[in-house]
Amino acid sequence: HGGSSHLGSSHFGSSGYRELLSSLQRLPHPPPTSVMDPKKVVDGDEQKLHRIRITLTSRDVKSLEKVCEDLISGAKDQKLQVQGPVRLPTRVLNLTTRKAPCGEGTITWDRFEMRIHKRLIDLHSPSDVVKQITSINIEPGVEVEVTIADT
C-alpha cells in the first residue's frame, strides 16, 4: 500500500455529501405512532389521560398478589392500558439478637427477618377512573401508593 490513506476520501465530493445530507433532512417524517390516544372520550367529554403508577407494598405475598389481581381486573374492565404487575426485588430486613437476657449462659442467637414485597402497576387513564378502581376493598397489611405523572 503506497502510503495513500482512504480515511479522508468519500464517494461523493465534499459538496455532493452536503447535498445528500440536505436532501435527507427534507424527507417528510411520518407522524409519531402512539399506542394510545393522549385524550380519551369518556361520557361525551374529552379527558386527558394521565400516567398513573400504583405502588403496592406488603409483608404477605398472597394478599399482595390478590390486590394486584383485583386492581388489574378492575382496570381491564374499564378498558384501560395496564402494565404490570412489575415484581420488584424483595427487601429482607434482618435482626440478630442474643437469646439470653443477661450476658451469661450459652451464647445463642435469634435471627429474625422481615420480607417486604413490592409491586408496580402502571395505568394510562383519567384521574377520576382511578378513584373507582382503587375503591376496591384492599387487604389488611397492603400499602397502596398512587402517583400521577403527566406526560
Side-chain angles (χ1 to χ4, degrees):
H1 305 307
S4 66
S5 171
H6 294 290
L7 293 174
S9 67
S10 68
H11 295 291
F12 321 103
S14 62
S15 63
Y17 185 67
R18 278 192 214 106
E19 288 173 25
L20 179 69
L21 276 178
S22 63
S23 68
L24 283 175
Q25 291 169 351
R26 276 186 254 123
L27 288 174
H29 293 289
T33 57
S34 63
V35 178
M36 191 126 190
D37 249 0
K39 293 184 185 293
K40 183 179 181 182
V41 178
V42 178
D43 300 332
D45 59 337
E46 279 193 356
Q47 290 185 324
K48 189 175 186 312
L49 285 181
H50 299 289
R51 266 190 27 242
I52 293 156
R53 174 163 284 179
I54 301 173
T55 309
L56 303 166
T57 54
S58 175
R59 291 182 287 167
D60 184 23
V61 182
K62 282 185 182 175
S63 60
L64 184 66
E65 289 292 333
K66 185 180 182 306
V67 172
C68 279
E69 286 300 314
D70 292 347
L71 278 173
I72 290 172
S73 64
K76 286 185 177 173
D77 290 345
Q78 299 275 345
K79 296 189 173 35
L80 300 177
Q81 183 185 357
V82 182
Q83 292 176 327
V86 178
R87 291 167 177 84
L88 296 177
T90 304
R91 286 175 98 191
V92 181
L93 308 175
N94 290 313
L95 181 69
T96 307
T97 64
R98 283 280 308 269
K99 279 186 180 179
C102 59
E104 294 184 20
T106 311
I107 301 175
T108 52
W109 297 85
D110 265 333
R111 290 191 288 273
F112 299 102
E113 73 175 30
M114 181 167 65
R115 293 173 175 261
I116 299 175
H117 307 275
K118 196 169 185 179
R119 305 283 185 267
L120 287 182
I121 299 173
D122 284 335
L123 302 173
H124 294 275
S125 73
S127 53
D128 60 335
V129 177
V130 174
K131 289 177 188 150
Q132 297 171 9
I133 296 169
T134 54
S135 65
I136 60 161
N137 58 337
I138 290 162
E139 299 269 323
V142 178
E143 278 188 45
V144 179
E145 185 181 322
V146 179
T147 54
I148 298 176
D150 288 323
T151 50

